[in-house]
Amino acid sequence: MNAAPTLPQHPPGTAAATGSARAWTVTALLVVFMMVNFADKSVLGLAADEIRADLHLSATEFGLANSAFFLLFSAAAVLVGLLADRVPPKVLLLAMALLWSVAQAPAAIGGGLAVLVTSRVVLGAAEGPAFPVAQQATLSWFPDHRRNLPSALITLGVTLGVIVSAPGLSWVIRNHGWRSALWVLAATGLVWALAWSVLGADGRHRTDGEPAVRTAGPSGSPAAVPYRKIFGSPTWIGATAAYFTSYWTVALMLVWLPSYLRNALDHPADTAAVLVVAPWTIGAVVLLAQAVLTGRLMRRGVGSRTARGRVGGWILALGAACLLAQTLVDGSTAKTVLVALGFGLGGSYATIAVTTVAELAPPGRSGGSLGVMNAVVTSAGLVAPAVVGALVDAQGDTGYHTAVLLSGLLLAVGAAASFLLVDPARDIARLGR
């Protein structure tokens, strides 16, 4: 009998180190992916005054043009989220990045409002699934107790996308026109797609943190829990409601914050281009602090109800307090500080929502659970820009302040939902897992 082949020997920890290095390489690429994604979203807000002047748009028309971005955004998030449970995330992410670049071209070439709206609708459909699929792809490289930091980093890509791109895109817009900025973004998307095709890869962990071996559930299926039970759980409802209010503030930062700083608070264009990154910078600090705090609490055995639900609730409550206090102070400096703090805190719930739902969802249901949540949440992007545009046309500059007050009230509702409803351990037991 022939001797069994000898397996190659590796130094202890080599395989784990290699896997860890690949996990963080993929995570870094997906951070850049989200940076490009939100640079795409922010460009119209940075060029708001130039686009309105060029295309002769009212505030309502401009708001509707931005809302058009989200027309198919949510539907695409649902469809691709469900598809992500069957198609490798690497393939989906590559296809999305290529579509982003193609979608920028029509408006970059020329045309009026109709071309701009059509281009944004297509771009929104391509970008709708980006965040949940990027999160799913990242989390598949890490077990549950190690997911808070990588998930926060993916969310941080949202913030970095605006922080890094805003000054450069603002310069391009002022010196070369807003259409040139679209060409810059199209080229950036293509470069990322090339890097991902070479370095991207799918992970080995399911959303429950175990190795990705298909194991039958109670009914003999790896996905025995129906979606309706997940979507009907208080945790999914609470996390989604809180995240909706958070995304409302994100949508306003993307679309109307530059105009608010220039027109309602009388900051010069150059100053506004710098100040617009302030809430995003605050949000970045909050995201990282939340990830560290939540991870530390969970390692000490504190449940997700506190480590995620209550920590997230306090973040939204503090954001709400800052935005509501803005109505009580005078002077552009005080208002700018409070709005930056309020929007920075208020827009920082995404990581909590994603890791909570990833913990709740059983194997085979993560893509759909995250995708549907993202669809519901990002409908705020469809409504918020149009609402603020109508307020500005009806009330003038006062409409901006009314929008800030409305955002504060919504964040207070989101904080209550996070405090009262989010309890993954309770709902995992109810789902029979």
Side-chain angles (χ1 to χ4, degrees):
M1 180 181 295
N2 294 330
T6 303
L7 295 177
Q9 300 297 311
H10 300 285
T14 299
T18 301
S20 178
R22 191 63 182 274
W24 289 111
T25 297
V26 169
T27 300
L29 282 170
L30 291 173
V31 170
V32 178
F33 176 80
M34 292 309 304
M35 290 175 65
V36 178
N37 181 286
F38 265 73
D40 287 347
K41 288 183 177 70
S42 69
V43 65
L44 260 63
L46 295 171
D49 291 349
E50 289 81 0
I51 293 173
R52 287 180 61 188
D54 185 21
L55 302 183
H56 309 291
L57 304 179
S58 67
T60 300
E61 288 171 330
F62 180 73
L64 290 172
N66 278 275
S67 293
F69 177 86
F70 292 93
L71 188 63
L72 298 178
F73 193 95
S74 298
V78 173
L79 294 175
V80 178
L82 295 171
L83 193 62
D85 288 328
R86 297 169 176 82
V87 178
K90 178 180 178 178
V91 175
L92 295 175
L93 292 163
L94 179 61
M96 279 186 270
L98 292 173
L99 285 173
W100 298 352
S101 297
V102 172
Q104 301 281 11
I109 292 171
L113 178 60
V115 173
L116 177 63
V117 168
T118 301
S119 177
R120 298 302 285 184
V121 169
V122 174
L123 182 63
E127 293 195 350
F131 184 70
V133 175
Q135 286 281 2
Q136 184 188 17
T138 304
L139 298 185
S140 70
W141 283 93
F142 300 91
D144 184 61
H145 68 281
R146 293 183 57 208
R147 286 177 172 170
N148 292 294
L149 179 57
S151 179
L153 290 174
I154 298 302
T155 309
L156 185 62
V158 170
T159 300
L160 291 176
V162 179
I163 293 174
V164 172
S165 68
L169 289 176
S170 296
W171 182 87
V172 172
I173 290 165
R174 288 196 305 271
N175 292 279
H176 301 283
W178 62 275
R179 298 187 195 274
S180 296
L182 301 182
W183 284 120
V184 171
L185 293 171
T188 304
L190 290 175
V191 171
W192 185 89
L194 178 61
W196 179 252
S197 67
V198 175
L199 300 174
D202 296 316
R204 299 169 295 173
H205 288 276
R206 302 184 313 210
T207 53
D208 59 355
E210 298 300 326
V213 178
R214 295 178 66 84
T215 304
S219 67
S221 166
V225 179
Y227 281 119
R228 59 181 174 79
K229 289 188 176 181
I230 298 172
F231 301 151
S233 67
T235 292
W236 191 90
I237 293 170
T240 302
Y243 189 13
F244 177 92
T245 66
S246 179
Y247 201 87
W248 179 282
T249 65
V250 171
L252 295 191
M253 284 193 287
L254 288 169
V255 176
W256 285 112
L257 182 60
S259 293
Y260 171 64
L261 293 170
R262 292 168 67 172
N263 300 323
L265 298 183
D266 297 322
H267 291 293
D270 290 344
T271 303
V274 175
L275 290 176
V276 76
V277 306
W280 298 99
T281 304
I282 292 168
V285 174
V286 173
L287 278 171
L288 292 176
Q290 173 270 315
V292 171
L293 175 59
T294 297
R296 182 172 297 174
L297 289 173
M298 295 188 73
R299 285 192 296 274
R300 291 181 178 178
V302 177
S304 288
R305 180 182 182 185
T306 296
R308 287 173 175 153
R310 290 180 178 173
V311 169
W314 278 114
I315 290 172
L316 295 184
L318 290 172
C322 290
L323 294 183
L324 295 175
Q326 184 262 0
T327 63
L328 304 176
V329 300
D330 295 320
S332 62
T333 300
K335 289 182 180 294
T336 300
V337 170
L338 287 173
V339 167
L341 287 170
F343 279 173
L345 287 159
S348 300
Y349 195 84
T351 297
I352 292 170
V354 168
T355 54
T356 297
V357 171
E359 178 185 0
L360 174 71
R365 292 299 195 227
S366 62
S369 298
L370 291 170
V372 173
M373 177 182 70
N374 199 65
V376 174
V377 165
T378 54
S379 64
L382 181 64
V383 178
V387 168
V388 176
L391 286 172
V392 171
D393 276 341
Q395 302 177 5
D397 291 345
T398 302
Y400 290 111
H401 301 301
T402 303
V404 171
L405 175 62
L406 175 60
S407 299
L409 294 173
L410 285 172
L411 288 179
V413 173
S418 189
F419 280 126
L420 298 176
L421 298 178
V422 173
D423 188 349
R426 174 200 62 202
D427 291 332
I428 287 172
R430 290 179 178 179
L431 292 174
R433 291 180 54 197

